[in-house]
Coordinates of all heavy atoms in Angstrom, one line a residue:
M3 N -24.7 -77.2 146.9 CA -23.4 -77.2 146.4 C -23.4 -77.3 144.9 O -24.3 -77.9 144.3 CB -22.7 -78.4 146.8 CG -21.7 -78.2 147.9 SD -20.8 -79.8 148.2 CE -20.2 -79.3 149.9
E4 N -22.6 -76.4 144.2 CA -22.6 -76.4 142.7 C -21.6 -77.4 142.3 O -20.7 -77.7 143.0 CB -22.2 -75.0 142.3 CG -23.2 -73.9 142.6 CD -22.7 -72.6 141.9 OE1 -22.4 -72.6 140.7 OE2 -22.6 -71.6 142.7
E5 N -21.8 -77.9 141.1 CA -20.9 -78.8 140.4 C -19.7 -78.0 140.0 O -19.8 -76.8 139.6 CB -21.6 -79.4 139.2 CG -22.6 -80.4 139.5 CD -22.2 -81.5 140.4 OE1 -21.3 -82.2 139.9 OE2 -22.8 -81.8 141.4
P6 N -18.6 -78.8 139.9 CA -17.4 -78.0 139.3 C -17.6 -77.6 137.8 O -18.4 -78.3 137.1 CB -16.3 -79.1 139.3 CG -16.7 -80.1 140.4 CD -18.2 -80.0 140.3
K7 N -17.1 -76.5 137.5 CA -17.2 -76.0 136.1 C -15.8 -76.0 135.4 O -14.9 -75.2 135.9 CB -17.8 -74.6 136.1 CG -19.2 -74.7 136.5 CD -19.9 -73.4 136.4 CE -21.4 -73.4 136.7 NZ -21.6 -73.9 138.1
E8 N -15.7 -76.6 134.2 CA -14.4 -76.6 133.7 C -14.2 -75.2 133.0 O -15.1 -74.7 132.3 CB -14.3 -77.7 132.7 CG -13.0 -77.9 132.1 CD -12.6 -79.3 131.4 OE1 -13.6 -80.0 131.2 OE2 -11.5 -79.6 131.2
I9 N -13.0 -74.7 133.0 CA -12.7 -73.5 132.4 C -12.0 -73.7 131.1 O -11.0 -74.2 131.0 CB -11.8 -72.6 133.4 CG1 -12.5 -72.5 134.8 CG2 -11.5 -71.3 132.8 CD1 -11.6 -72.0 135.9
L10 N -12.6 -73.1 130.0 CA -12.2 -73.5 128.7 C -11.6 -72.3 128.0 O -10.8 -72.6 127.0 CB -13.5 -73.9 127.9 CG -14.2 -75.1 128.5 CD1 -15.4 -75.4 127.6 CD2 -13.2 -76.3 128.7
N11 N -11.5 -71.2 128.6 CA -10.9 -69.9 127.9 C -10.6 -68.9 128.8 O -11.1 -68.9 130.0 CB -11.9 -69.5 126.7 CG -13.2 -69.2 127.2 OD1 -13.4 -68.4 128.2 ND2 -14.2 -69.8 126.7
F12 N -9.9 -67.9 128.4 CA -9.5 -66.8 129.2 C -10.7 -65.9 129.7 O -10.5 -65.5 130.8 CB -8.6 -65.9 128.4 CG -7.1 -66.4 128.4 CD1 -6.5 -66.9 127.3 CD2 -6.3 -66.3 129.6 CE1 -5.1 -67.3 127.3 CE2 -5.1 -66.9 129.7 CZ -4.5 -67.3 128.4
D13 N -11.7 -65.9 129.0 CA -12.8 -65.1 129.4 C -13.4 -65.6 130.7 O -13.7 -65.0 131.6 CB -13.8 -65.0 128.3 CG -13.4 -64.1 127.3 OD1 -12.6 -63.1 127.6 OD2 -14.1 -64.0 126.2
D14 N -13.5 -67.0 130.7 CA -14.0 -67.7 131.8 C -13.1 -67.5 133.0 O -13.6 -67.0 134.2 CB -14.1 -69.2 131.5 CG -15.4 -69.6 130.8 OD1 -16.2 -68.7 130.5 OD2 -15.4 -70.8 130.5
L15 N -11.8 -67.6 132.8 CA -10.9 -67.5 133.8 C -10.9 -66.1 134.5 O -11.0 -65.8 135.7 CB -9.5 -67.7 133.2 CG -8.3 -67.8 134.4 CD1 -8.4 -69.0 135.0 CD2 -7.0 -67.7 133.4
R16 N -11.1 -65.1 133.6 CA -11.2 -63.7 134.0 C -12.4 -63.4 134.8 O -12.5 -62.7 135.9 CB -11.0 -62.8 132.8 CG -10.5 -61.4 133.1 CD -10.4 -60.6 131.7 NE -9.5 -61.3 130.8 CZ -9.7 -61.5 129.6 NH1 -10.7 -61.0 129.0 NH2 -8.9 -62.1 128.8
R17 N -13.6 -64.0 134.3 CA -14.9 -63.8 135.0 C -14.7 -64.3 136.5 O -15.3 -63.7 137.3 CB -15.9 -64.5 134.1 CG -17.4 -64.1 134.5 CD -18.3 -64.5 133.3 NE -18.0 -65.8 132.7 CZ -18.5 -66.9 133.1 NH1 -19.2 -66.9 134.2 NH2 -18.2 -68.0 132.5
Y18 N -14.2 -65.5 136.5 CA -14.2 -66.1 138.0 C -13.3 -65.4 138.8 O -13.5 -65.2 140.1 CB -13.7 -67.5 137.9 CG -14.8 -68.5 137.4 CD1 -14.6 -69.3 136.3 CD2 -16.1 -68.5 138.0 CE1 -15.7 -70.0 135.8 CE2 -17.1 -69.4 137.6 CZ -16.9 -70.2 136.4 OH -17.9 -71.0 136.0
R19 N -12.2 -64.8 138.2 CA -11.4 -64.0 139.1 C -12.0 -62.7 139.5 O -11.9 -62.2 140.7 CB -10.0 -63.8 138.4 CG -9.2 -65.0 138.0 CD -7.8 -64.7 137.4 NE -7.0 -64.2 138.6 CZ -5.7 -64.5 138.7 NH1 -5.1 -65.3 137.8 NH2 -5.0 -64.0 139.7
L20 N -12.7 -62.1 138.6 CA -13.4 -60.9 139.0 C -14.4 -61.1 140.0 O -14.7 -60.3 140.9 CB -14.1 -60.2 137.7 CG -13.0 -59.5 136.8 CD1 -13.7 -59.0 135.5 CD2 -12.3 -58.3 137.5
A21 N -15.2 -62.2 139.8 CA -16.2 -62.5 140.9 C -15.7 -62.8 142.2 O -16.2 -62.6 143.2 CB -17.0 -63.7 140.4
D22 N -14.4 -63.3 142.3 CA -13.7 -63.5 143.5 C -14.5 -64.5 144.4 O -14.6 -64.1 145.7 CB -13.4 -62.2 144.2 CG -12.2 -62.2 145.2 OD1 -11.6 -63.3 145.2 OD2 -12.3 -61.5 146.2
E23 N -15.0 -65.5 143.9 CA -15.8 -66.4 144.8 C -15.2 -67.9 144.4 O -14.9 -68.1 143.3 CB -17.3 -66.4 144.5 CG -17.9 -65.3 145.2 CD -19.5 -65.2 144.8 OE1 -19.9 -66.2 144.2 OE2 -20.1 -64.1 144.9
G24 N -15.3 -68.7 145.4 CA -14.8 -70.1 145.1 C -13.4 -70.2 144.9 O -12.7 -69.4 145.3
Y25 N -13.0 -71.3 144.3 CA -11.7 -71.7 144.2 C -11.5 -72.3 142.7 O -12.3 -72.7 142.1 CB -11.3 -72.8 145.2 CG -11.6 -72.2 146.6 CD1 -12.8 -72.4 147.2 CD2 -10.5 -71.6 147.3 CE1 -13.0 -71.8 148.6 CE2 -10.7 -71.1 148.6 CZ -12.0 -71.3 149.2 OH -12.1 -70.8 150.4
F26 N -10.2 -72.3 142.3 CA -9.8 -73.0 141.2 C -9.1 -74.4 141.6 O -8.4 -74.4 142.6 CB -8.7 -72.3 140.2 CG -9.5 -71.0 139.6 CD1 -8.7 -69.9 139.6 CD2 -10.6 -71.1 139.1 CE1 -9.2 -68.8 138.9 CE2 -11.0 -70.1 138.3 CZ -10.4 -68.9 138.2
V27 N -9.4 -75.4 140.8 CA -8.7 -76.6 141.1 C -7.9 -76.9 139.6 O -8.6 -76.8 138.5 CB -9.6 -77.8 141.3 CG1 -8.9 -79.1 141.2 CG2 -10.4 -77.6 142.6
I28 N -6.7 -77.1 139.8 CA -5.8 -77.4 138.6 C -5.5 -79.0 138.7 O -4.9 -79.4 139.7 CB -4.5 -76.6 138.5 CG1 -5.0 -75.1 138.5 CG2 -3.7 -76.9 137.3 CD1 -3.7 -74.1 138.6
T29 N -6.0 -79.6 137.6 CA -5.8 -81.1 137.6 C -4.6 -81.3 136.7 O -4.2 -80.5 135.9 CB -6.9 -81.9 137.0 OG1 -7.3 -81.4 135.8 CG2 -8.2 -81.6 138.0
D30 N -3.8 -82.5 137.0 CA -2.8 -82.8 136.2 C -2.5 -84.3 136.1 O -2.8 -85.0 137.1 CB -1.4 -82.2 136.8 CG -0.3 -82.2 135.9 OD1 0.2 -83.4 135.6 OD2 0.2 -81.2 135.5
S31 N -2.4 -84.9 134.9 CA -2.4 -86.3 134.8 C -1.2 -87.0 135.6 O -1.3 -88.1 135.9 CB -2.4 -86.7 133.4 OG -1.3 -86.1 132.8
T32 N -0.2 -86.2 135.9 CA 1.0 -86.8 136.5 C 1.1 -86.3 137.9 O 2.0 -86.8 138.7 CB 2.2 -86.4 135.8 OG1 2.4 -84.9 135.9 CG2 2.3 -86.8 134.4
R33 N 0.3 -85.4 138.5 CA 0.3 -85.1 139.8 C -1.1 -84.9 140.4 O -2.1 -85.0 139.7 CB 0.9 -83.6 139.9 CG 2.5 -83.8 139.9 CD 3.0 -82.3 139.7 NE 2.7 -81.7 138.4 CZ 2.9 -80.5 138.1 NH1 3.2 -79.6 139.0 NH2 2.6 -80.1 136.8
E34 N -1.2 -84.8 141.7 CA -2.5 -84.6 142.4 C -3.0 -83.2 142.0 O -2.2 -82.3 141.8 CB -2.3 -84.8 143.9 CG -1.4 -83.9 144.5 CD -1.0 -84.3 146.0 OE1 -1.5 -85.4 146.4 OE2 -0.3 -83.4 146.6
A35 N -4.4 -83.2 142.0 CA -5.0 -81.9 141.8 C -4.7 -81.0 143.0 O -4.7 -81.4 144.1 CB -6.5 -82.2 141.7
I36 N -4.7 -79.6 142.7 CA -4.3 -78.7 143.7 C -5.4 -77.5 143.6 O -5.8 -77.1 142.6 CB -3.0 -78.0 143.4 CG1 -1.9 -79.1 143.3 CG2 -2.7 -77.0 144.5 CD1 -1.5 -79.7 144.7
I37 N -5.8 -77.2 144.9 CA -6.8 -76.0 145.0 C -6.1 -74.8 145.3 O -5.2 -74.6 146.1 CB -7.7 -76.3 146.3 CG1 -8.3 -77.7 146.4 CG2 -8.8 -75.3 146.4 CD1 -8.8 -78.0 147.9
H38 N -6.5 -73.8 144.5 CA -6.0 -72.5 144.7 C -7.1 -71.5 144.8 O -8.2 -71.6 144.4 CB -5.2 -72.0 143.3 CG -4.0 -73.0 143.0 ND1 -2.8 -72.7 143.5 CD2 -4.0 -74.0 142.2 CE1 -2.0 -73.7 143.0 NE2 -2.7 -74.4 142.1
K39 N -6.6 -70.4 145.5 CA -7.6 -69.2 145.5 C -7.7 -68.6 144.2 O -6.8 -68.6 143.3 CB -7.0 -68.1 146.4 CG -7.0 -68.4 147.9 CD -6.2 -67.2 148.7 CE -6.2 -67.5 150.2 NZ -5.5 -66.5 150.8
V40 N -8.9 -68.1 143.8 CA -9.1 -67.7 142.5 C -8.2 -66.5 142.1 O -7.9 -66.3 141.0 CB -10.6 -67.1 142.2 CG1 -11.5 -68.5 142.0 CG2 -11.3 -66.3 143.2
N41 N -7.9 -65.7 143.1 CA -7.1 -64.5 142.7 C -5.5 -64.7 143.2 O -4.8 -63.9 143.4 CB -7.6 -63.3 143.5 CG -8.7 -62.7 142.6 OD1 -8.5 -62.5 141.4 ND2 -9.9 -62.5 143.1
S42 N -5.2 -66.0 143.4 CA -3.8 -66.2 143.6 C -2.9 -66.0 142.5 O -3.2 -66.2 141.4 CB -3.7 -67.8 144.0 OG -2.4 -68.2 143.9
K43 N -1.6 -65.6 142.8 CA -0.7 -65.4 141.9 C -0.2 -66.8 141.3 O 0.5 -66.8 140.2 CB 0.6 -64.8 142.5 CG 0.4 -63.4 142.7 CD 1.6 -62.8 143.2 CE 1.6 -61.2 143.2 NZ 0.4 -60.9 144.3
C44 N -0.7 -67.9 141.7 CA -0.4 -69.3 141.3 C -1.1 -69.4 139.9 O -0.6 -70.2 139.1 CB -0.9 -70.3 142.2 SG -0.4 -70.3 143.9
I45 N -2.1 -68.7 139.7 CA -3.0 -68.8 138.5 C -2.3 -67.9 137.4 O -2.5 -66.7 137.4 CB -4.4 -68.4 138.8 CG1 -5.0 -69.2 139.9 CG2 -5.2 -68.7 137.5 CD1 -5.1 -70.7 139.8
K46 N -1.5 -68.5 136.6 CA -0.8 -67.7 135.6 C -1.3 -68.0 134.2 O -1.7 -69.2 133.8 CB 0.8 -68.1 135.6 CG 1.4 -67.8 136.9 CD 2.9 -68.2 136.8 CE 3.7 -67.7 137.9 NZ 3.3 -68.6 139.1
A47 N -1.4 -66.9 133.5 CA -2.0 -66.9 132.2 C -1.1 -67.8 131.3 O -1.8 -68.7 130.5 CB -2.1 -65.5 131.5
D48 N 0.2 -67.8 131.4 CA 1.0 -68.7 130.5 C 0.7 -70.1 130.8 O 0.7 -71.0 130.0 CB 2.5 -68.4 130.8 CG 2.9 -67.2 130.2 OD1 2.1 -66.6 129.4 OD2 4.1 -66.8 130.4
S49 N 0.6 -70.5 132.1 CA 0.4 -72.0 132.5 C -1.1 -72.4 132.0 O -1.2 -73.5 131.6 CB 0.3 -72.0 134.1 OG 1.6 -71.5 134.5
F50 N -2.0 -71.5 132.1 CA -3.4 -71.8 131.7 C -3.3 -72.0 130.2 O -3.9 -73.0 129.7 CB -4.3 -70.6 132.0 CG -5.8 -70.8 131.5 CD1 -6.6 -71.5 132.4 CD2 -6.1 -70.4 130.4 CE1 -7.8 -71.9 132.0 CE2 -7.4 -70.5 129.9 CZ -8.3 -71.2 130.7
N51 N -2.7 -71.1 129.5 CA -2.6 -71.2 128.0 C -1.9 -72.5 127.6 O -2.4 -73.2 126.7 CB -1.8 -70.0 127.5 CG -1.9 -69.8 126.0 OD1 -3.1 -70.1 125.4 ND2 -0.7 -69.5 125.3
L52 N -0.9 -72.9 128.2 CA -0.2 -74.2 127.9 C -1.1 -75.4 128.1 O -1.3 -76.2 127.3 CB 1.1 -74.3 128.7 CG 1.9 -75.5 128.5 CD1 2.4 -75.5 127.1 CD2 3.0 -75.6 129.6
K53 N -1.7 -75.4 129.3 CA -2.4 -76.5 129.7 C -3.7 -76.7 128.9 O -4.1 -77.8 128.4 CB -2.7 -76.5 131.2 CG -3.3 -77.8 131.8 CD -3.2 -77.8 133.3 CE -2.1 -78.8 133.7 NZ -2.1 -79.0 135.0
V54 N -4.5 -75.6 128.9 CA -5.8 -75.6 128.2 C -5.9 -75.4 126.8 O -6.5 -76.1 126.0 CB -6.6 -74.6 129.0 CG1 -8.1 -74.4 128.3 CG2 -6.8 -74.8 130.4
T55 N -5.1 -74.5 126.2 CA -5.1 -74.2 124.8 C -4.2 -74.9 124.1 O -4.5 -75.8 123.0 CB -4.8 -72.6 124.6 OG1 -5.6 -71.9 125.6 CG2 -5.1 -72.2 123.2
I56 N -2.9 -75.0 124.4 CA -1.9 -75.7 123.6 C -2.0 -77.1 123.8 O -2.1 -77.9 122.8 CB -0.4 -75.2 123.9 CG1 -0.4 -73.6 123.7 CG2 0.6 -76.0 123.3 CD1 0.9 -73.0 124.2
N57 N -2.0 -77.7 125.0 CA -2.1 -79.0 125.3 C -3.6 -79.6 125.2 O -3.7 -80.8 125.4 CB -1.5 -79.5 126.6 CG 0.0 -79.3 126.5 OD1 0.6 -79.4 125.5 ND2 0.6 -79.0 127.7
D58 N -4.4 -78.7 125.0 CA -5.9 -79.2 124.8 C -6.5 -80.0 125.8 O -7.1 -80.8 125.7 CB -6.0 -79.9 123.5 CG -7.4 -79.9 122.8 OD1 -8.2 -79.1 123.3 OD2 -7.6 -80.7 122.1
R59 N -6.0 -79.7 127.1 CA -6.5 -80.3 128.4 C -6.2 -81.7 128.4 O -6.9 -82.5 129.1 CB -8.0 -80.1 128.5 CG -8.3 -78.6 128.8 CD -9.8 -78.3 128.8 NE -10.4 -78.3 127.5 CZ -11.5 -78.9 127.2 NH1 -12.2 -79.4 128.1 NH2 -12.0 -78.7 126.0
K60 N -5.3 -82.2 127.6 CA -5.0 -83.7 127.6 C -4.2 -84.1 128.9 O -4.3 -85.3 129.3 CB -4.2 -84.1 126.3 CG -5.0 -84.0 125.1 CD -4.1 -84.6 123.9 CE -4.9 -84.5 122.7 NZ -4.9 -83.1 122.0
Q61 N -3.5 -83.1 129.4 CA -2.6 -83.5 130.6 C -3.2 -82.9 132.0 O -2.4 -82.7 132.8 CB -1.1 -83.3 130.4 CG -0.5 -84.2 129.5 CD 0.1 -83.6 128.3 OE1 0.6 -82.5 128.3 NE2 0.1 -84.4 127.3
G62 N -4.5 -82.5 131.9 CA -5.0 -81.7 132.9 C -5.7 -80.6 132.6 O -5.7 -80.1 131.4
S63 N -6.4 -80.0 133.5 CA -7.2 -79.0 133.2 C -7.5 -78.0 134.4 O -7.0 -78.1 135.5 CB -8.6 -79.4 132.7 OG -9.4 -78.4 132.0
Y64 N -8.3 -77.0 134.2 CA -8.6 -75.9 135.2 C -10.1 -76.0 135.5 O -10.9 -76.0 134.6 CB -8.3 -74.5 134.8 CG -6.9 -74.2 134.9 CD1 -6.0 -74.8 134.2 CD2 -6.4 -73.1 135.6 CE1 -4.7 -74.5 134.2 CE2 -5.1 -72.7 135.6 CZ -4.2 -73.4 135.0 OH -2.9 -73.1 135.0
F65 N -10.5 -76.1 136.7 CA -11.9 -76.2 137.1 C -12.2 -75.0 138.2 O -11.4 -74.8 138.9 CB -12.3 -77.4 137.7 CG -12.3 -78.6 136.7 CD1 -11.0 -79.2 136.5 CD2 -13.4 -79.0 136.2 CE1 -10.9 -80.4 135.6 CE2 -13.4 -80.1 135.2 CZ -12.1 -80.7 135.0
W66 N -13.4 -74.5 138.1 CA -13.9 -73.7 139.3 C -14.8 -74.5 140.1 O -15.5 -75.4 139.6 CB -14.7 -72.5 138.6 CG -15.2 -71.5 139.8 CD1 -14.6 -70.6 140.4 CD2 -16.4 -71.7 140.3 NE1 -15.4 -70.0 141.3 CE2 -16.6 -70.6 141.3 CE3 -17.5 -72.6 140.2 CZ2 -17.7 -70.5 142.2 CZ3 -18.7 -72.5 141.0 CH2 -18.8 -71.4 142.0
V67 N -14.5 -74.3 141.4 CA -15.4 -75.0 142.3 C -16.0 -74.0 143.4 O -15.4 -72.9 143.7 CB -14.7 -76.2 143.2 CG1 -14.2 -77.3 142.2 CG2 -13.5 -75.6 143.9
D68 N -17.1 -74.3 144.0 CA -17.8 -73.4 144.9 C -17.1 -73.5 146.2 O -17.2 -72.5 147.0 CB -19.3 -73.6 145.0 CG -19.6 -75.0 145.4 OD1 -18.7 -75.9 145.6 OD2 -20.8 -75.2 145.7
S69 N -16.5 -74.6 146.5 CA -15.9 -74.7 147.9 C -14.8 -75.7 148.0 O -14.6 -76.5 147.0 CB -17.0 -75.1 148.8 OG -17.3 -76.6 148.5
I70 N -14.0 -75.7 149.0 CA -12.9 -76.6 149.2 C -13.5 -78.0 149.4 O -13.0 -78.9 148.9 CB -12.1 -76.2 150.5 CG1 -11.3 -75.0 150.1 CG2 -11.2 -77.2 150.8 CD1 -10.5 -74.3 151.3
A71 N -14.6 -78.1 150.0 CA -15.2 -79.4 150.2 C -15.5 -80.0 148.8 O -15.4 -81.3 148.6 CB -16.6 -79.3 151.0
T72 N -16.1 -79.3 147.9 CA -16.4 -79.8 146.6 C -15.1 -80.3 145.9 O -15.0 -81.3 145.2 CB -17.0 -78.7 145.6 OG1 -18.2 -78.3 146.3 CG2 -17.3 -79.2 144.2
A73 N -14.0 -79.4 146.0 CA -12.6 -79.7 145.4 C -12.2 -81.1 146.0 O -11.7 -81.9 145.2 CB -11.7 -78.6 145.6
S74 N -12.4 -81.2 147.2 CA -11.9 -82.5 147.9 C -12.6 -83.7 147.5 O -12.1 -84.7 147.1 CB -12.0 -82.2 149.4 OG -11.6 -83.4 150.1
R75 N -14.0 -83.5 147.4 CA -14.8 -84.6 147.0 C -14.8 -85.0 145.5 O -14.7 -86.2 145.2 CB -16.3 -84.2 147.2 CG -17.3 -85.3 147.2 CD -18.8 -84.7 147.3 NE -19.1 -84.0 146.1 CZ -19.7 -82.7 146.2 NH1 -20.0 -82.4 147.2 NH2 -19.9 -82.2 145.0
E76 N -14.7 -84.0 144.7 CA -14.6 -84.3 143.3 C -13.3 -84.6 142.7 O -13.2 -85.4 141.7 CB -15.2 -83.0 142.6 CG -16.6 -82.8 142.8 CD -17.7 -83.8 142.3 OE1 -17.4 -84.3 141.3 OE2 -18.7 -83.8 143.0
F77 N -12.2 -84.0 143.2 CA -10.9 -84.1 142.7 C -9.9 -84.7 143.7 O -8.8 -84.9 143.3 CB -10.5 -82.7 142.2 CG -11.3 -82.1 141.2 CD1 -12.2 -81.1 141.6 CD2 -11.2 -82.5 139.9 CE1 -13.0 -80.5 140.6 CE2 -12.0 -81.9 138.9 CZ -13.0 -81.0 139.3
K78 N -10.3 -84.9 144.9 CA -9.4 -85.3 146.0 C -8.2 -84.3 145.9 O -7.0 -84.6 146.1 CB -8.8 -86.7 145.7 CG -9.9 -87.7 145.6 CD -10.1 -88.5 146.8 CE -11.2 -89.7 146.7 NZ -12.4 -89.0 146.4
A79 N -8.6 -83.0 145.7 CA -7.6 -82.0 145.5 C -7.0 -81.7 146.9 O -7.6 -81.7 147.9 CB -8.2 -80.8 145.0
K80 N -5.7 -81.3 146.8 CA -5.0 -80.8 148.0 C -4.9 -79.2 148.0 O -4.9 -78.6 146.9 CB -3.5 -81.4 148.0 CG -3.4 -82.8 148.0 CD -3.6 -83.4 149.4 CE -3.3 -85.0 149.5 NZ -4.4 -85.7 149.2
R81 N -4.8 -78.6 149.2 CA -4.6 -77.2 149.2 C -3.3 -76.8 148.8 O -2.3 -77.4 149.1 CB -4.9 -76.7 150.6 CG -6.4 -76.7 151.0 CD -6.6 -76.3 152.5 NE -6.0 -77.4 153.3 CZ -5.1 -77.1 154.1 NH1 -4.5 -76.1 154.3 NH2 -4.5 -78.2 154.8
C82 N -3.2 -75.7 148.0 CA -1.9 -75.2 147.6 C -1.2 -74.6 148.8 O -1.8 -74.0 149.7 CB -2.2 -74.0 146.6 SG -0.7 -73.2 146.1
K83 N 0.1 -75.0 148.9 CA 0.9 -74.5 150.0 C 1.4 -73.1 149.8 O 1.9 -72.5 150.8 CB 2.1 -75.4 150.1 CG 1.8 -76.9 150.6 CD 3.0 -77.6 150.8 CE 2.7 -78.9 151.4 NZ 1.9 -79.9 150.5
V84 N 1.1 -72.5 148.6 CA 1.6 -71.2 148.5 C 0.4 -70.1 148.7 O 0.7 -69.3 149.5 CB 2.1 -70.9 147.0 CG1 2.5 -69.5 146.7 CG2 3.2 -71.9 146.6
C85 N -0.7 -70.4 148.1 CA -1.8 -69.4 148.4 C -2.7 -69.8 149.5 O -3.5 -69.0 150.0 CB -2.5 -69.1 147.1 SG -3.4 -70.5 146.4
K86 N -2.6 -71.1 150.0 CA -3.2 -71.5 151.3 C -4.7 -71.2 151.3 O -5.2 -70.2 152.1 CB -2.5 -70.9 152.4 CG -1.1 -71.3 152.6 CD -0.6 -70.8 154.0 CE 0.8 -71.3 154.3 NZ 1.8 -70.9 153.4
P87 N -5.6 -71.8 150.5 CA -7.0 -71.6 150.6 C -7.3 -72.0 151.9 O -6.8 -72.9 152.6 CB -7.6 -72.6 149.5 CG -6.4 -72.9 148.6 CD -5.1 -72.8 149.5
E88 N -8.4 -71.2 152.4 CA -8.9 -71.4 153.9 C -9.1 -72.8 154.3 O -9.7 -73.6 153.6 CB -10.1 -70.5 154.1 CG -9.8 -69.0 154.2 CD -9.7 -68.5 152.7 OE1 -9.8 -69.3 151.8 OE2 -9.6 -67.2 152.6
L89 N -8.8 -73.1 155.5 CA -9.1 -74.5 156.2 C -10.4 -74.5 156.8 O -11.1 -75.6 156.8 CB -7.9 -74.7 157.2 CG -6.9 -75.7 156.9 CD1 -6.1 -76.0 158.1 CD2 -7.5 -77.1 156.4
N90 N -10.8 -73.4 157.3 CA -12.0 -73.4 158.3 C -13.3 -73.5 157.6 O -14.4 -73.4 158.4 CB -11.9 -72.2 159.2 CG -11.9 -70.8 158.3 OD1 -12.1 -70.9 157.1 ND2 -11.8 -69.7 159.1
L91 N -13.3 -73.6 156.4 CA -14.8 -73.8 155.6 C -15.2 -75.2 155.5 O -16.3 -75.4 155.2 CB -14.6 -73.2 154.3 CG -14.2 -71.9 154.2 CD1 -14.1 -71.4 152.8 CD2 -15.2 -70.9 154.8
V92 N -14.3 -76.1 156.1 CA -14.7 -77.6 155.8 C -14.2 -78.3 157.0 O -13.2 -78.0 157.7 CB -13.9 -78.0 154.4 CG1 -12.4 -78.0 154.5 CG2 -14.5 -79.4 154.1
H93 N -14.8 -79.4 157.2 CA -14.4 -80.2 158.3 C -13.1 -80.8 158.0 O -12.9 -81.4 157.1 CB -15.4 -81.4 158.5 CG -15.3 -82.1 159.8 ND1 -14.4 -83.2 159.9 CD2 -15.8 -81.8 161.0 CE1 -14.4 -83.7 161.2 NE2 -15.2 -82.9 161.9
P94 N -12.2 -80.9 158.9 CA -10.8 -81.3 158.8 C -10.8 -82.8 158.3 O -9.8 -83.3 157.7 CB -10.1 -81.2 160.2 CG -10.9 -80.2 160.8 CD -12.3 -80.3 160.4
S95 N -11.7 -83.5 158.6 CA -11.7 -84.9 158.2 C -11.7 -85.2 156.6 O -11.3 -86.2 156.2 CB -12.8 -85.7 158.8 OG -14.0 -85.3 158.2
T96 N -12.0 -84.1 155.9 CA -12.1 -84.3 154.5 C -10.7 -84.0 153.9 O -10.5 -84.2 152.6 CB -13.0 -83.2 153.9 OG1 -12.7 -81.9 154.2 CG2 -14.4 -83.4 154.2
F97 N -9.7 -83.8 154.8 CA -8.4 -83.7 154.2 C -7.5 -84.7 154.9 O -7.6 -84.9 156.2 CB -7.8 -82.2 154.6 CG -8.3 -81.2 153.7 CD1 -9.2 -80.4 154.2 CD2 -8.0 -81.1 152.4 CE1 -9.9 -79.3 153.5 CE2 -8.5 -80.1 151.7 CZ -9.5 -79.2 152.2
D98 N -6.5 -85.3 154.1 CA -5.4 -85.9 154.9 C -4.2 -85.1 154.8 O -3.5 -85.0 153.7 CB -5.2 -87.2 154.3 CG -5.2 -87.2 152.8 OD1 -6.1 -86.6 152.2 OD2 -4.5 -88.0 152.2
V99 N -4.0 -84.1 155.7 CA -3.1 -83.1 155.6 C -1.7 -83.7 155.9 O -1.4 -84.5 156.7 CB -3.3 -81.9 156.6 CG1 -2.3 -81.0 156.4 CG2 -4.5 -81.5 156.4
Ligands
ZN127 ZN1 -1.9 -71.6 144.9

């Protein structure tokens, strides 16, 4: 398993989207972390810009993870209800759905 990688700029974001592997985790200081598909429409440039560039990651950040299991382990992240990252890659016990 790979360690989560924090995404610090648009180039990173674009690179991961093009590679189309793994998932994004968006953390937020006021809400639980959410796992998204890398090519989901949930990943918006404006939101990324606000959180990472303008707010300087003080209220949350974007991470790339290799798997849902990593997202669950490292961030206690929940699956996005909109883009629905796959369930079948990980044992159901790692989620409290
Ligand atoms: Zn999503």
